[in-house]
Amino acid sequence: MGTGSLLMLATLEGTVMAAVLALAAVGLSLTFGVMRVVNVAHGEFFMLGAVLAWAVAQAMPSAPLGFVAALLIAPALVGALAWVTDTALLKRLNYNPDSTIVATIGLSYLIQQGALSFFGPDARAVAAPFTLRLQFPGFGYSGYKLFVVAAALLVLLAVWWGLTRSRAGLVMRATQVDRNTARAFGINVDRVYAGTFALGAALAALAAVLLAPISQAHYLMGHDPLLLSFIVVIIGGLGSLRGTLLAALVIGLADGILSMLYPPTLAKILATLAVAMVLVFRPQGLFGDRT
Amino acid sequence: MLQIEGLTAGYGAVTVLREVNLIAEPGRVTCVMGRNGAGKTTLLRSIMGQTTRLSGGIFLNRTPLHNLPAHEVPGHGIGYVPQGRRLFGPLTVAENLQIGLMTRSKSAATLERVLTLFPRLRERLNQQAGTLSGGEQQMLALARALCLEPSVLLLDEPTEGLQPSMIQLIRDSVTSLKAEGVAIILVEQRVEAVLSIADTIAFMAQGQIVETLPAQGIGPEPFQRHIGI
């Protein structure tokens, strides 16, 4: 394979990585932006999405049908679990930043060990809904991976539209600015928080369902997405959707390209170094407000 | 009519208000005055359900408000202009007003009426609220509350930090709302801003209403005694 083809392949891999990462990181960013909750269990919501996708796909008679069902059911179930978690746990802690970090650490272990108990320690393959292969100059490429990019883009556009154009988005943004004043204008802040936490978790789960046919579903798979999501959210600026998307693109592409050309650990080292630089020189992130 | 009866309230374990009684009648301005820390802002926040109530009650036309969650209070027609405006700064002027309209599902006709009162806001509908001047921000804070078409309006130091022309505009707006039959509770520090529009003046000290007097014919002595002016 020539250098041009290799670079193009690496860029495509990076774009797929960026798409999945953007979905997961936007979920984390929303949760922090609106609720000021650092959700350490975000990676486990991601993992649960993949594991549930496998379980749902197993229960269906055909691969395409199983995948479509997983795409709908897994994020909905994870979102519902997040809603219950918010109401039963985070709300009782009055969304105290320190307490919620500790609580979500505990939650992450519960989810992880729950997945281990119910689904076992083995990595599970989820069949892709189709097996189209596209021919590029010098290499063939999975059509499903390009579908992942398109699907993630579509969902991100929907999230952006929802936040900036819909009534629910307006209510979320108002709550993000000042929850007490939001209450004084009839906004049910508890419901906004529960909905935001559920949406954030569902986005992570959706990213995992899309990724499951490419990697595999496994009860320990939540670590990397959590770390990368935090890296993206910190670089992009906490609570900034625009910054999160841009950072996801940069980190995803860098991770994809560097992982193809060098040992994958190098990509993680560089991403972590980028976070350190941002924290030193621009602590609010590239697009975050200085507060 | 809004009635506060024997209200004792505060924040968590800290009691701020003690046995407060106050009435706001339609078409009348009740002004609450007192030194810093007397409990004026806490009184308004308590009406909005944003404090911990220990005893007593708050009634709107005999309907108890004190058991409602905070977000249900404005739906009963209580408009609130908080101290420091508390606008949704990153949102546009139009979005801030939209939040007000959504509170009681009011229509474009209400928005039109509010924008007629504050025509300068019409020119700035797409501007971020946080980038408005101080006077425009206060206009927006008042306009946002008026989007509820409130029967009771709570104003917490609406003239704070404003230039005289803007103070006059706020005063004219309050007078006009009073004429429309809105019951107004006004927390204010400036005696001259109060005397021309208030019907009743309630003096607060250490979380209690210590004296209530009709505004008409009031002399300087109560102000000197209660707030040292």
Side-chain angles (χ1 to χ4, degrees):
Chain A
M1 192 188 291
T3 312
S5 298
L6 188 64
L7 201 61
M8 188 176 176
L9 177 61
T11 307
L12 282 172
E13 286 293 294
T15 309
V16 174
M17 177 73 186
V20 173
L21 186 54
L23 272 184
V26 161
L28 189 69
S29 180
L30 273 178
T31 306
F32 180 81
V34 176
M35 305 168 67
R36 299 283 146 186
V37 165
V38 177
N39 179 17
V40 183
H42 196 67
E44 303 314 324
F45 284 136
F46 180 93
M47 175 275 293
L48 196 56
V51 171
L52 285 174
W54 171 79
V56 171
Q58 285 296 106
M60 293 289 167
S62 73
L65 191 66
F67 183 79
V68 171
L71 209 52
L72 298 173
I73 294 172
L77 286 178
V78 172
L81 175 68
W83 185 293
V84 172
T85 302
D86 173 83
T87 309
L89 187 64
L90 304 183
K91 185 181 168 188
R92 287 172 193 271
L93 297 172
N94 200 26
Y95 302 100
N96 177 283
D98 298 337
S99 308
T100 51
I101 287 177
V102 176
T104 54
I105 288 172
L107 178 67
S108 72
Y109 282 114
L110 279 175
I111 295 174
Q112 193 186 85
Q113 294 307 308
L116 173 64
S117 304
F118 283 103
F119 300 104
D122 301 328
R124 315 280 191 172
V126 177
F130 56 88
T131 52
L132 177 69
R133 193 152 186 85
L134 299 170
Q135 194 57 44
F136 287 89
F139 67 96
Y141 198 70
S142 159
Y144 174 74
K145 287 187 175 178
L146 295 181
F147 163 78
V148 169
V149 175
L153 204 61
L154 209 63
V155 173
L156 290 170
L157 275 174
V159 170
W160 174 82
W161 184 90
L163 281 175
T164 56
R165 298 281 184 272
S166 77
R167 182 186 161 115
L170 179 59
V171 163
M172 280 172 76
R173 285 184 292 136
T175 305
Q176 177 175 0
V177 177
D178 186 340
R179 66 175 170 176
N180 277 330
T181 305
R183 280 197 182 98
F185 286 88
I187 293 174
N188 186 341
V189 170
D190 291 341
R191 194 179 295 171
V192 173
Y193 279 8
T196 302
F197 200 64
L199 177 63
L203 284 171
L206 184 64
V209 179
L210 288 170
L211 189 67
I214 299 171
S215 59
Q216 278 184 335
H218 184 253
Y219 82 105
L220 290 176
M221 70 185 291
H223 292 156
D224 268 7
L226 178 68
L227 176 67
L228 286 172
S229 294
F230 269 119
I231 286 172
V232 163
V233 169
I234 290 168
I235 290 178
L238 292 167
S240 162
L241 187 62
R242 189 172 48 142
T244 300
L245 293 178
L246 192 70
L249 191 67
V250 171
I251 295 294
L253 277 173
D255 192 90
I257 293 170
L258 291 173
S259 299
M260 285 280 296
L261 304 176
Y262 303 100
T265 316
L266 181 66
K268 302 282 185 300
I269 292 172
L270 288 178
T272 313
L273 193 65
V275 167
M277 299 298 273
V278 166
L279 286 176
V280 169
F281 293 107
R282 200 174 158 83
Q284 75 272 32
L286 298 181
F287 291 90
D289 293 328
R290 192 183 285 274
T291 51
Chain B
M1 182 168 67
L2 184 80
Q3 278 178 285
I4 299 164
E5 293 181 358
L7 182 67
T8 298
Y11 303 100
V14 180
T15 302
V16 179
L17 302 180
R18 295 165 207 281
E19 293 286 321
V20 169
N21 294 293
L22 192 73
I23 292 177
E25 293 174 290
R28 292 177 69 84
V29 175
T30 303
C31 182
V32 180
M33 299 190 84
R35 295 177 196 269
N36 286 340
K40 307 181 295 293
T41 294
T42 303
L43 174 61
L44 299 194
R45 291 193 64 191
S46 297
I47 296 169
M48 296 308 296
Q50 294 184 354
T51 60
T52 309
R53 183 184 63 94
L54 299 174
S55 62
I58 300 161
F59 303 88
L60 180 66
N61 301 323
R62 301 191 180 199
T63 303
L65 299 181
H66 49 266
N67 292 323
L68 297 176
H71 70 271
E72 287 184 18
V73 173
H76 287 259
I78 315 268
Y80 182 36
V81 179
Q83 188 176 25
R85 296 139 200 162
R86 305 299 290 266
L87 295 172
F88 301 113
L91 274 56
T92 65
V93 170
E95 286 173 332
N96 270 272
L97 296 172
Q98 186 62 34
I99 295 279
L101 291 170
M102 278 160 45
T103 311
R104 298 182 77 199
S105 305
K106 294 298 175 188
S107 66
T110 305
L111 178 62
E112 191 53 38
R113 185 172 155 266
V114 169
L115 290 175
T116 306
L117 273 175
F118 302 105
R120 202 180 296 183
L121 294 180
R122 193 191 296 276
E123 301 161 14
R124 306 219 185 315
L125 283 175
N126 294 319
Q127 189 173 329
Q128 273 193 332
T131 64
L132 297 174
S133 71
E136 289 166 346
Q137 288 194 10
Q138 192 62 59
M139 273 186 218
L140 178 56
L142 186 52
R144 182 179 62 176
L146 294 183
C147 282
L148 278 72
E149 293 190 6
S151 58
V152 177
L153 185 61
L154 313 179
L155 300 170
D156 198 347
E157 303 208 24
T159 63
E160 188 184 24
L162 298 186
Q163 59 188 38
S165 63
M166 208 53 75
I167 292 174
Q168 186 57 45
L169 180 67
I170 300 290
R171 198 181 297 171
D172 291 346
S173 305
V174 172
T175 307
S176 149
L177 290 167
K178 179 179 162 180
E180 289 175 22
V182 177
I184 296 168
I185 298 182
L186 170 67
V187 166
E188 188 55 87
Q189 297 275 29
R190 298 159 183 264
V191 176
E192 71 282 3
V194 165
L195 287 177
S196 60
I197 51 175
D199 296 287
T200 305
I201 298 177
F203 292 100
M204 280 193 87
Q206 295 178 332
Q208 293 180 306
I209 304 257
V210 289
E211 190 170 14
T212 304
L213 296 166
Q216 198 171 14
I218 193 169
E221 191 273 331
F223 295 104
Q224 282 170 353
R225 187 155 31 96
H226 295 298
I227 53 178
I229 296 174

